[in-house]
Amino acid sequence: MARTDVPYGMIDDAAIVLADGRIEWVGPRSALPDEFSTGAKTSLAGRLVTPGLIDCHTHIVHGGDRAVEFEMRLNGASYEEVARAGGGIVSTVTATRAASEGELLTMALRRVDVLIGEGVTAIEIKSGYGLDRETELRMLRVARAVGKDRDITVRTSFLAAHATPAEYKGREDAYIDEICIPTLRAAHAEGLVDAVDGFCEGIAFSPDQIARVFDVAKTLGLPVKLHAEQLSDLGGAKLAASYGALSADHLEYLDEDGVKAMADAGTVAVILPGAFYTLRETQAPPIAAFRKHGVRMALATDINPGSSPLNSLLLTVNMGCTLLRMTPEEALRGITCNAAHALGLTDQGIIESGKRADLAVWDVKHPAELAYRIGYNPLHKRIVGAPE
Ligand SMILES: O=C(O)CC[C@@H]1NC(=O)NC1=O
Ligand SMILES: [Fe+3]
């Protein structure tokens, strides 16, 4: 999928040589070097092989659910009435704080196993439903445990700058100084953080508040990413790009200046159709502008109990195409090589010599089938590291 001169970077009638958990060689079967002619062979009968799928934006560790809030909204309750009834992020924070590490892990693994069943071999997992030191650390420990309990690569993102907890209502700056930043330092010291994220939005944190968190991330040598321009344009993506962010995510309200800033910084645009769909958003992210300025586009589930309870990366691909007009090739790059870039992963997301032997084999004839079907999983085999 690395090449862009042929559709999907596809090689017809290919051979892939795996050894010691790595891709040793890939190319046309007719050009297989003699040195590999003696090894064990498995015919895939002409099936499509892609890199293992990568879900680069998830809140998959969380307690509770928001089903009642979903029902209230469909019975006409306003966002405010839901909030007054204790709904919204606050209700998930309460449920997550009350859950043990074991309970959070059991709930997360159930959701992770669905993604694994779709050929996912790497995921990003955020904190952000604790909003206090102990629970934020617990969420990140659970994220690390997911990577130990399943054969899947896990990259964690510290997202205490997700919302202000009830006990700090109206005191956002104090929350950033007294909870968010000290907890970031503690989480980093425990080896729990691969990147630092934030929610830059009127209902969350301002660019200045996010910058204070990012300044600390910089001193700790941690890359950053940002939920930006989801509901309005606060210049979040531009701020993220100024820090060389791995990605800026959502981006429904991003303008062309912001796209150019991302292009100059090499910041990946992570498109999240699950939230666009669930919130019945009408403003689509600037897909054409990303294409025009060469901004890599990734796609992810954003699986979370509120704005995107979407537990399927394959359905995400179909939504990215049907709702947001990405092409099937862009969508497939969006859950492989571009998702790897959004996580700073350099050893996967591409079928290339030297990369991890993380692959997905599909019962389809054409790659576009992975985007076109709705609610259908054509996975034949998932290969992680060593071949069977
Ligand atoms: O509703 C939730 O629980 C999370 C909302 C979610 N978080 C964020 O930064 N943007 C979102 O849509
Ligand atoms: Fe999110």
Side-chain angles (χ1 to χ4, degrees), residues 57 59 126 159 162 227 250 272 302 304:
H57 182 132
H59 306 253
K126 304 175 190 293
L159 179 60
H162 189 200
H227 288 66
H250 284 291
L272 303 170
D302 189 18
N304 76 67

Side-chain angles (χ1 to χ4, degrees), residues 257-270:
D257 275 356
V259 174
K260 288 177 191 163
M262 290 178 67
D264 293 345
T267 298
V268 176
V270 177

Side-chain angles (χ1 to χ4, degrees), residues 25-247:
W25 183 90
V26 57
R29 191 157 56 106
S30 57
L32 183 69
D34 292 343
E35 64 184 291
F36 300 127
S37 56
T38 54
K41 289 183 182 56
T42 302
S43 165
L44 296 175
R47 291 185 176 87
L48 172 72
V49 182
T50 67
L53 306 188
I54 300 173
D55 193 354
C56 67
H57 182 132
T58 90
H59 306 253
I60 208 159
V61 171
H62 59 263
D65 66 69
R66 305 259 279 281
V68 169
E69 166 183 329
F70 176 75
E71 183 180 51
M72 282 176 70
R73 285 215 308 271
L74 286 166
N75 281 304
S78 69
Y79 200 86
E80 288 67 27
E81 284 162 338
V82 165
R84 269 200 298 278
I89 292 183
V90 169
S91 78
T92 302
V93 170
T94 305
T96 304
R97 287 179 174 179
S100 70
E101 198 165 314
E103 288 164 341
L104 289 174
L105 180 59
T106 300
M107 290 185 274
L109 287 176
R110 204 169 297 152
R111 300 185 270 260
V112 169
D113 287 341
V114 172
L115 295 178
I116 286 175
E118 289 189 337
V120 173
T121 55
I123 51 169
E124 181 255 16
I125 301 179
K126 304 175 190 293
S127 68
Y129 284 119
L131 309 186
D132 64 20
R133 181 191 182 94
E134 192 227 328
T135 315
E136 285 293 310
L137 294 176
R138 187 181 331 132
M139 289 186 73
L140 292 167
R141 290 180 192 124
V142 170
R144 284 282 189 248
V146 168
K148 292 194 180 75
D149 283 14
R150 293 291 186 274
D151 57 350
I152 192 166
T153 298
V154 169
R155 302 292 285 174
T156 63
S157 296
F158 178 84
L159 179 60
H162 189 200
T164 305
E167 62 271 23
Y168 276 90
K169 193 164 176 53
R171 297 191 299 129
E172 288 77 9
D173 283 313
Y175 169 69
I176 294 283
D177 292 334
E178 296 168 15
I179 301 295
C180 186
I181 289 173
T183 303
L184 169 55
R185 294 186 190 283
H188 175 257
E190 200 176 316
L192 296 173
V193 184
D194 296 316
V196 177
D197 192 353
F199 186 18
C200 186
E201 194 54 72
I203 56 170
F205 296 96
S206 69
D208 288 348
Q209 290 163 339
I210 294 293
R212 287 202 281 122
V213 179
F214 282 5
D215 286 341
V216 176
K218 209 169 161 183
T219 65
L220 297 174
L222 292 170
V224 299
K225 52 180 58 246
L226 189 62
H227 288 66
E229 278 70 84
Q230 179 183 1
L231 308 171
S232 65
D233 184 351
L234 296 185
K238 264 188 224 162
L239 173 77
S242 73
Y243 281 84
L246 291 172
S247 72

Side-chain angles (χ1 to χ4, degrees), residues 1 51-58 119-126 153-155 157 195 225 245-249 266-272 295-302 313 316-317 326 329-350:
M1 299 284 277
L53 306 188
I54 300 173
D55 193 354
C56 67
H57 182 132
T58 90
V120 173
T121 55
I123 51 169
E124 181 255 16
I125 301 179
K126 304 175 190 293
T153 298
V154 169
R155 302 292 285 174
S157 296
K225 52 180 58 246
L246 291 172
S247 72
D249 303 39
T267 298
V268 176
V270 177
I271 307 301
L272 303 170
V295 175
R296 284 178 182 271
M297 291 188 275
L299 264 174
T301 60
D302 189 18
L313 195 54
T316 301
V317 167
M326 292 172 79
E329 179 174 356
E330 287 169 336
L332 212 46
R333 289 180 190 276
I335 57 170
T336 54
C337 52
N338 291 348
H341 275 270
L343 298 180
L345 291 172
T346 54
D347 65 348
Q348 50 195 291
I350 299 177

